[in-house]
Each structure stands twice: as C-alpha cells, then as structure tokens.
C-alpha cells in the first residue's frame, strides 16, 4: 500500500524541482524530504531519484509515479472538499498569501475576524508578490492568494483558478516636499521625465507595469532605486532620492518630507483574491473570501468618510 504522505513528498519534488524546494513547499526539513523519498523507493522497489549535478532528478519510474501521485492527491483533496462542504463547518487549516501592502492593509482585519468567528480554523499567512501567490495556489501550496493587476495591464490568470474582487486601489505620485510640483492638486506623468524613479524589483509585475505605462507615454524612465516595500520607497523619497508611485492601500502614515498628488490619468490597481475552482465549495474558502471582501469594503468606506470630511 502506497503511503499518502510519501506520495505528497514525491509530488512536491516533481512540482518544485528540488529537495530544498519541496521542503519549503511542505514546510519540513530537507532531511525529512530525503527520508520520505528513500522510504518510498523501498516501498515500490524501484529507484525514483538519480543524481543530477548538485541536485537530483526523477527517473522514468519516478516521473511515472509522480504523475499518479498528482492524480491521487487531487482526488483526495476533492474528497476532503466534499466532506467539508457536507459537514458545513469552517475548520482545518487555511493557507493564504498577499502582496505586502494588502498584507498590511487587509490581513489584520480579515484574519482577526476569521479567528473570532471560526476558532476551529487554523490560519497560516505570508507575504508574496502576486505572481508567486498565484503559483502557490496553482501548485497547491496555498489555498488563497490576494493579488492585483493595474487598470491598463491585467494579471494573467491560469486556467482552474477563480477570483473575487476586493477593492480598487487609487495610486498617486509621491515626491519630496521640496519638489517643483509639490502642492499641485494633480500632476501628469509627462511632468516627471527628468526625475529618477524609485520602483519595485526587476521583473516584478508592478515594476513591469510602471515601465510599460511610462514608455506608452513616450517617457524613457530613469530608475534610480528599487525597493519591494512601499514604506521603503517612501523613505527614499523623503531623502530626496526620487519619486515613486504610491498606492493608497497600506500607505499610511506617509513619512515627513513626502507629499503626494493624484495623477491626471487616475491610476488604479484592482485587488482581488484567487483560489482553485475545485476548492470552491469548501466552507473555509467561502468564509475567507467573505472576510476579505468585508475588509476591502471597510477600507473603501474609511476612504469615502475621509474624503467627505475633507
């Protein structure tokens, strides 16, 4: 009889491509992965792994068994979903990710509400950039991911995933308080042709969006500094090192020495949550989506109240 946990380990190795990647995805040590795979080889009486440089690769038998393992685990997950849906209880473990500003702006409210309403639900959250969050959901390492796209650059969504909108997030330009455009009610991207931009990491979706947007306006951007976190970017702006795009979600408080101005183009991000379609009936998924949408509505309501008061 094949051991389900050892099949899960083999599946993780096939998906991640390395022992260390499988260990990270399963939240265990590399030694534990190696031990499980060695036991699986003894169970099936065939070599499943072969040395490949400094790592390992699957043998023909390993690839064959990994394909079966993926189908078996998928069926097990569907059985668990059906049982959980029939029971109607929000319980078990739920793994979520969000890009940094959503983790800061939505997770505290949403996850606290989930914990209070469903004490039998174990929550595990982490910060991941949108592309990595989507990959985690596709691989099965995550149950949900809060991701984003921009008004003029959608995020491709793989087949088999569904999504629900959480909120639209307006973005301004942040600049040093002594900047020549500080104090303006609105600004145009074309007015920043000579400024250095502080942007996200090379290859990240938000960085690619900014390059695409500036170049579509005929602006070849001058990139001076890169930082993943909005508050790190704003700290560099405060030091007079450039300007950046500053979405509202998770932005406050803006540090001293920084002013923001809306863009005439009305730049917005669309924030939404994604999960696998085959897990759609899980009560825990539905409860988490409700909590995240309520957190998004709360953020939108606070903004509307602040705007009315101003």
């Amino acid at each position: 009889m094949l051991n389900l946990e050892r099949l899960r380990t083999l599946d993780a190795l096939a998906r991640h491509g390395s022992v260390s990647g499988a260990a990270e995805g399963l939240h265990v040590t590399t030694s534990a992965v190696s031990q499980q795979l060695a036991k699986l080889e003894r169970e099936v009486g065939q070599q499943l792994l072969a040395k490949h440089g400094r790592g390992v690769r699957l043998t023909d038998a390993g690839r064959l068994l990994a394909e079966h393992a993926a189908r078996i685990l998928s069926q097990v997950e569907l059985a668990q979903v059906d049982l959980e849906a029939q029971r109607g209880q929000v319980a078990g473990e739920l793994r979520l990710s969000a890009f940094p500003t959503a983790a800061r702006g939505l997770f505290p409210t949403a996850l606290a509400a989930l914990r209070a309403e469903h004490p039998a639900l174990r929550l595990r959250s982490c910060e991941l950039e949108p592309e990595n969050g989507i990959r985690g959901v596709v691989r099965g390492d995550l149950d949900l991911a809060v991701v984003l796209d921009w008004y003029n650059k959608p995020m491709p969504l793989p087949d088999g995933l569904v999504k629900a909108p959480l909120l639209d997030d307006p973005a301004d330009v942040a600049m040093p308080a002594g900047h020549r455009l500080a104090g303006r009610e609105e600004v145009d991207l074309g007015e920043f042709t000579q400024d250095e931009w502080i942007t996200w990491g090379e290859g990240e979706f938000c960085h690619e969006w900014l390059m695409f947007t500036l170049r579509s306006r005929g602006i070849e951007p001058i990139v001076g500094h890169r930082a993943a976190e909005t508050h790190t970017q704003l700290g560099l702006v405060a030091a007079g090192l450039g300007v950046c795009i500053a979405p509202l979600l998770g932005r406050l408080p803006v540090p001293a020495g920084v002013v923001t101005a809306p863009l005439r183009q009305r730049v917005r991000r669309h924030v939404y949550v994604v999960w696998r379609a085959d897990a759609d009936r899980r009560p825990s998924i539905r409860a988490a989506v409700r909590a995240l949408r309520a957190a998004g509505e709360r953020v939108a309501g606070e903004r509307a109240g602040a705007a009315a008061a101003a």
Side-chain angles (χ1 to χ4, degrees):
M1 182 69 69
L2 293 170
N3 181 281
L4 192 61
E5 286 308 308
R6 288 165 198 157
L7 289 178
R8 197 180 304 279
T9 303
L10 179 66
D11 176 66
L13 178 69
R15 288 186 288 106
H16 291 277
S18 67
V19 171
S20 59
E24 184 176 352
L26 294 170
H27 306 290
V28 298
T29 64
T30 55
S31 175
V33 169
S34 298
Q35 290 173 17
Q36 288 280 52
L37 293 172
K39 290 177 181 178
L40 185 59
E41 285 187 324
R42 289 197 294 271
E43 284 179 351
V44 300
Q46 294 192 59
Q47 185 179 0
L48 302 176
L49 303 177
K51 293 284 187 182
H52 183 68
R54 295 184 179 181
V56 295
R57 62 171 178 83
L58 292 173
T59 63
D60 290 344
R63 284 195 297 272
L64 177 64
L65 185 56
E67 291 171 3
H68 283 291
R71 289 194 291 271
I72 291 167
L73 293 169
S74 177
Q75 286 300 119
V76 170
E77 183 172 356
L78 284 172
Q80 291 172 334
V81 167
D82 285 344
L83 287 171
E84 188 177 332
Q86 185 181 54
R87 190 170 58 241
Q89 296 178 352
V90 180
E93 182 174 274
L94 197 68
R95 301 156 298 169
L96 311 90
S97 76
F99 59 93
T101 50
R104 176 186 175 96
L106 296 176
F107 268 8
T109 299
L111 301 190
L114 275 172
R115 173 172 285 182
E117 190 173 351
H118 306 290
L121 182 63
R122 298 186 304 277
L123 298 168
R124 301 289 182 266
S125 71
C126 63
E127 287 187 359
L128 285 177
E129 290 300 322
E131 308 96 313
N132 294 331
I134 287 174
R135 280 196 292 269
V137 174
V138 170
R139 289 196 306 254
D141 299 332
L142 296 168
D143 298 302
L144 302 102
V146 178
V147 300
L148 64 90
D149 58 23
W150 293 85
Y151 73 104
N152 60 342
K153 193 173 178 63
M155 168 75 78
L157 200 63
D159 292 339
L161 298 188
V162 291
K163 68 179 182 179
L166 300 180
L167 77 158
D168 279 354
D169 190 29
D172 302 332
V173 172
M175 64 194 90
H179 193 277
R180 66 188 184 282
L181 301 178
R184 290 266 297 274
E185 290 189 3
E186 63 179 18
V187 293
D188 190 280
L189 282 173
E191 297 176 287
F192 295 93
T193 55
Q194 302 305 312
D195 288 275
E196 286 193 38
W197 283 94
I198 299 162
T199 181
W200 297 267
E202 182 75 36
E204 289 186 13
F205 183 71
C206 288
H207 170 78
E208 297 304 319
W209 163 80
L210 181 59
M211 299 299 102
F212 166 81
T213 301
L214 291 172
R215 286 167 180 156
S216 69
R217 300 268 301 173
I219 303 166
E220 185 54 39
I222 305 168
V223 176
H225 306 278
R226 302 177 188 277
E229 288 277 3
T230 296
H231 279 77
T232 304
Q233 294 184 10
L234 292 174
L236 294 168
V237 172
L241 296 173
V243 300
C244 74
I245 295 291
L248 190 54
L249 182 64
R251 177 172 91 192
L252 300 176
V254 175
V258 175
V259 297
T260 62
L263 281 159
R264 196 166 293 128
Q265 295 83 8
R266 295 294 183 263
V267 171
R268 288 180 177 272
R269 305 189 298 183
H270 308 302
V271 181
Y272 51 95
V273 57
V274 302
W275 64 95
R276 293 188 304 282
D278 59 13
D280 194 51
R281 294 191 300 123
R282 285 179 58 189
S284 56
I285 294 283
R286 296 185 176 188
V289 171
R290 285 195 300 270
L292 286 164
R293 297 191 82 163
E297 290 168 2
R298 176 176 173 178
V299 168
E302 290 172 349
R303 291 176 185 174

